[in-house]
Amino acid sequence: MFSILGDKPKPVSPTGSGFGYFVSSLETNKSFSVVVSASRQINNHLEVKALLSYALKSYIEKSDSIRLTPDYRLESTTFLRSEQPSNQYITLQILPQYIVGRKYKFNFGLGGYLSKLLASQTEVVQASKFNYTYNSSQAFNTLDYGLSLNFGVSHPIVPALEISVQLFASQGISNISDYFLSFNYPRWYYRSYSLVIGIRFLKNKQLKL
């Protein structure tokens, strides 16, 4: 799951005429990723894990209008438009791991990630029903980087195979769009959580703990 972290847009702003106001909001949208990984065991308790992933990260920004009545009541909320950027990234994560256990091996890792933007498309939906999609790559920074955390457990099923369950969390520390800053948007950062269940192939006989 991916989400946007940062200061939110101003919740209410005047339209400039009469009693009209705009309300802006951000919503998390469905995203997905495909991951391949490799690891190198250094000793009984230390391992370095590298993950290469393709990810589609998306969010929705909505604008609605509301009316302030003469007796200062809000009414008549109306949808105006929404923008849904879908950004495609290739990401490399490096996670040094600390490993404990015998039959069940528990691992804890802390490291970082670097992402490169491959493409971006933004879908615009309007109340007028005049909807369109445009290339929005120039609106987002080419690189995104941050910190990654990993916790998991693995268990051998045959001598050369392990089943593994891993939980990953990442927090961006680089603003995703300098372009939006020029329009007085706040700084935004990616945050993601993922649960990965997979099979691990063991190239060599593992060291005994």
Side-chain angles (χ1 to χ4, degrees), residues 91-105:
T91 300
L92 176 65
Q93 288 179 279
I94 303 295
L95 286 163
Q97 303 282 315
Y98 181 74
I99 305 170
V100 295
R102 290 181 177 271
K103 192 171 184 180
Y104 288 91
K105 297 179 182 179

Side-chain angles (χ1 to χ4, degrees), residues 1-3 29-34 53-59 84-91 116-122 190 192:
M1 180 189 73
F2 295 95
S3 60
N29 195 33
K30 293 180 180 179
S31 304
F32 73 89
S33 63
V34 178
S53 63
Y54 164 84
L56 179 66
K57 302 180 181 182
S58 180
Y59 66 90
Q84 180 182 320
S86 295
N87 297 339
Q88 301 176 50
Y89 288 91
I90 186 76
T91 300
K116 177 177 172 48
L117 181 68
L118 300 177
S120 175
Q121 295 287 329
T122 296
Y190 279 124
S192 67

